[in-house]
Amino acid sequence: MRPPREPFFWALFSAGGMLTALVLPAAALYLWVSRPLGWVAAPTHAALMAHVASPLVRVALFVLIALGLFHWAHRFRYTLYDGLQLSHLYGLIATICYGGATLLTVFAAWTLWRFP
C-alpha cells in the first residue's frame, strides 16, 4: 500500500505559514511604513541587483516563494472543500491547487536562475 501524501502537503502548508508570518510583517513595515515616512532611504536599483546576484539571496527568495505558494494552495484547497462544499471534486481541486503551486514554483526557480 502506498503511504499517504497528505502529511507532506501539511508540512509544506505549516512551513509556508510560519515563514510568511515571520517575514511578511517585517517586509510590510519596511515597504509600507519606514520608507514612506522617510525613516530609511529607498535602495537604488544597483544595490538591489547586487543583493539578488548573490546565490544565497536567490535560494532564500526561492524558498520563501515556494513555501508561500504551497501554503496558499493548501489553504485554498480546503477553503473550496469546506467553505464552498466542493469536496466531491477532491482530485480535481487538489490537482489544480498543487499543480498551480508547482508550476509557479518552477517558474520562480527559472526566473531566479536566469536573473542577471
Side-chain angles (χ1 to χ4, degrees), residues 31-46:
L31 292 173
W32 298 314
V33 177
S34 299
R35 284 188 41 211
L37 291 176
W39 295 346
V40 295
T44 63
H45 184 266

Side-chain angles (χ1 to χ4, degrees), residues 21-93:
L22 289 174
V23 173
L24 191 61
L29 179 67
Y30 175 71
L31 292 173
W32 298 314
V33 177
S34 299
R35 284 188 41 211
L37 291 176
W39 295 346
V40 295
T44 63
H45 184 266
L48 287 176
M49 294 303 258
H51 285 303
V52 178
S54 167
L56 187 60
V57 171
R58 289 182 189 194
V59 169
L61 284 173
F62 173 75
V63 168
L64 181 64
I65 291 167
L67 289 178
L69 284 170
F70 278 97
H71 179 79
W72 164 82
H74 201 72
R75 184 173 292 270
F76 189 68
R77 174 185 173 196
Y78 280 97
T79 298
L80 292 176
Y81 288 168
D82 299 333
L84 297 179
Q85 302 296 314
L86 297 175
S87 57
H88 61 283
L89 300 173
Y90 182 84
L92 178 65
I93 290 173

Side-chain angles (χ1 to χ4, degrees), residues 6-16 67:
E6 200 65 25
F8 174 73
F9 291 116
W10 276 104
L12 287 175
F13 168 75
S14 63
L67 289 178

